[in-house]
Amino acid sequence: MSTAERSWPLWEVFTQGKDGEPHQHAGSVHATDAEHALQNARDVYARRNEAVHLWVVPSAAITASTPEDMGPFFDPANDKAYRHPQFYKVPKGVKVF
Amino acid sequence: MRASHPALAPALLRIADDRLILGHRTSEWCGHAPILEEDIALANIALDLIGQATLVLQHAGAVERAGRNEDALAFFRDATDFRNALLCELPRGDFGVTIVRHFFHGLYSVLQWDALARSTDQTLAGIAAKALKESRYHVRHAGEWVIRLGDGTEESHRRAQEAVDALWPYTGELFMQPADEADLVAAGTTADVSLLAGPWRAQVDDVLRRATLRAPSDPWMQRGGRDGRHTEHLGHLLAEMQIVARSHPGAQW
């Protein structure tokens, strides 16, 4: 059996540090199924109070942009300064936004 | 401080030694588990168990008032002074044996800590409340594995069933209530472990059924650990666990 056949599927792990915070990508684990992935994620990424909540997602379910996409996908946003919020002056008197 | 009941320190040793010996056994997997994630999981569980043992041994040392701290109790007692159930000292075996043993002992631990969390001994109740959360996780980890191994491949099923058959005769001792703890149970200090057998069996049967495994019907059970009569395996384990502390008495690390 090849290594690929022997190894378990890969899962991406997202941890939430506190209630209300966004889930952030922490890393990945190998596991046979979702419940197993949750356990492994807990042991590898959340055993020292790093998280109050966990998501695991099959890595195969993620559709990602490719490195070649870098130019066409992301460049156009950068040469139009008015697309960035920093372009706009914050009116006087606004403290929280 | 009022002198404690003379049976309290021995009763605490029974609780602590289970976790110390099983924790040490589990630590033997460090670097040897089937996959990285499981290596970390087993090392965590070993640390949890040794941490639980440390707290209870500290308490036992204080209750005993013989000047022994947790290190003295862990590293300078001989096999006949240990009070762990025989189940905890058996060799680690293959992954199936390790998982089935964790499942059997973990379920017992959850039930025992749950009862001890209501102990009239405030120190013990505090330790139990903390340990209960850890043990609940241990059972979840082991239980999920029992189901996957039992209901997995032909080989994993065979090995899991062999582990159940081999370990089963060692489960009865967990629920044999030591006679010298009668006063402590009456005072609400320790839990009557014989009352835990029913709930334990119900939960074991549920998981074994989902794992397509079966419990042996032979009711004969091994015993002796709670009275200091151990298998040959404990001495070898202790030799390894105690060698550093005994070679360098008083060393700090």
Side-chain angles (χ1 to χ4, degrees):
Chain A
M1 231 194 283
S2 74
T3 314
E5 283 170 308
R6 285 168 58 94
S7 63
W8 297 331
L10 196 62
W11 302 71
E12 298 304 318
V13 179
F14 297 82
T15 57
Q16 185 186 37
K18 278 188 213 152
D19 270 343
E21 284 186 353
H23 286 69
Q24 293 191 320
H25 188 235
S28 52
V29 293
H30 289 95
T32 54
D33 53 59
E35 172 64 23
H36 187 206
L38 263 186
Q39 283 193 16
N40 285 347
R42 179 266 189 197
D43 283 318
V44 178
Y45 296 109
R47 69 185 186 279
R48 299 198 181 97
N49 283 328
E50 295 99 329
V52 296
H53 200 236
L54 283 176
W55 287 345
V56 289
V57 180
S59 304
I62 292 178
T63 308
S65 62
T66 63
E68 298 82 69
D69 285 336
M70 220 163 96
F73 256 51
F74 305 116
D75 270 0
N78 287 332
D79 57 3
K80 299 177 185 68
Y82 51 83
R83 287 189 168 184
H84 296 285
Q86 296 91 326
F87 179 79
Y88 299 94
K89 296 258 184 305
V90 177
K92 274 185 188 161
V94 175
K95 299 246 165 53
V96 181
F97 56 95
Chain B
M1 182 176 143
R2 200 161 55 84
S4 317
H5 193 287
L8 181 55
L12 291 170
L13 289 183
R14 291 183 181 119
I15 297 168
D17 288 348
D18 266 21
R19 280 76 189 179
L20 179 63
I21 299 304
L22 185 56
H24 185 82
R25 269 289 180 240
T26 309
S27 76
E28 294 173 0
W29 277 101
C30 194
H32 299 280
I35 56 161
L36 176 69
E37 288 88 341
E38 202 51 41
D39 207 279
I40 295 173
L42 287 172
N44 280 334
I45 290 170
L47 284 171
D48 285 346
L49 291 171
I50 292 168
Q52 294 175 4
T54 305
L55 294 174
V56 182
L57 285 177
Q58 270 172 0
H59 188 35
V63 164
E64 181 188 62
R65 301 169 94 180
R68 296 198 287 184
N69 65 8
E70 65 275 19
D71 282 344
L73 287 168
F75 298 124
F76 292 90
R77 277 183 299 150
D78 292 330
T80 50
D81 301 323
F82 274 78
R83 292 292 178 266
N84 58 282
L86 300 177
L87 177 68
C88 302
E89 71 199 42
L90 299 176
R92 74 173 191 261
D94 62 12
F95 189 63
V97 170
T98 287
I99 288 300
V100 171
R101 168 163 53 188
H102 271 300
F103 177 61
F104 285 167
H105 195 275
L107 260 185
Y108 161 77
S109 261
V110 165
L111 295 167
Q112 188 183 31
W113 288 132
D114 188 44
L116 290 175
R118 295 185 294 273
S119 169
T120 50
D121 179 329
Q122 292 303 310
T123 308
L124 183 56
I127 296 168
K130 177 181 181 296
L132 177 59
K133 284 190 268 185
E134 296 172 345
S135 292
R136 281 212 172 106
Y137 177 71
H138 301 167
V139 168
R140 180 171 165 179
H141 170 264
E144 293 290 339
W145 263 121
V146 169
I147 293 168
R148 279 160 184 73
L149 293 177
D151 194 18
T153 65
E154 202 175 307
E155 184 183 3
S156 74
H157 176 85
R158 176 178 59 77
R159 290 212 204 184
Q161 184 63 58
E162 283 171 7
V164 169
D165 294 345
L167 296 174
W168 192 258
Y170 294 92
T171 56
E173 186 179 25
L174 300 173
F175 307 105
M176 293 176 189
Q177 179 60 24
D180 64 356
E181 287 188 32
D183 290 351
L184 298 175
V185 170
T189 312
T190 61
D192 182 346
V193 290
S194 67
L195 301 177
L196 309 179
W200 181 86
R201 183 62 199 261
Q203 292 182 58
V204 164
D205 282 344
D206 178 51
V207 169
L208 290 185
R209 184 182 48 74
R210 288 158 63 197
T212 71
L213 299 167
R214 49 167 184 74
S217 51
D218 186 355
W220 185 78
M221 290 291 171
Q222 296 272 4
R223 64 188 303 171
R226 296 283 186 236
D227 303 315
R229 285 179 288 112
H230 291 279
T231 67
E232 73 218 86
H233 308 295
L234 182 63
H236 294 284
L237 180 151
L238 292 180
E240 193 169 282
M241 187 180 87
Q242 296 178 331
I243 179 70
V244 174
R246 290 193 180 207
S247 305
H248 306 279
Q252 299 288 313
W253 64 84

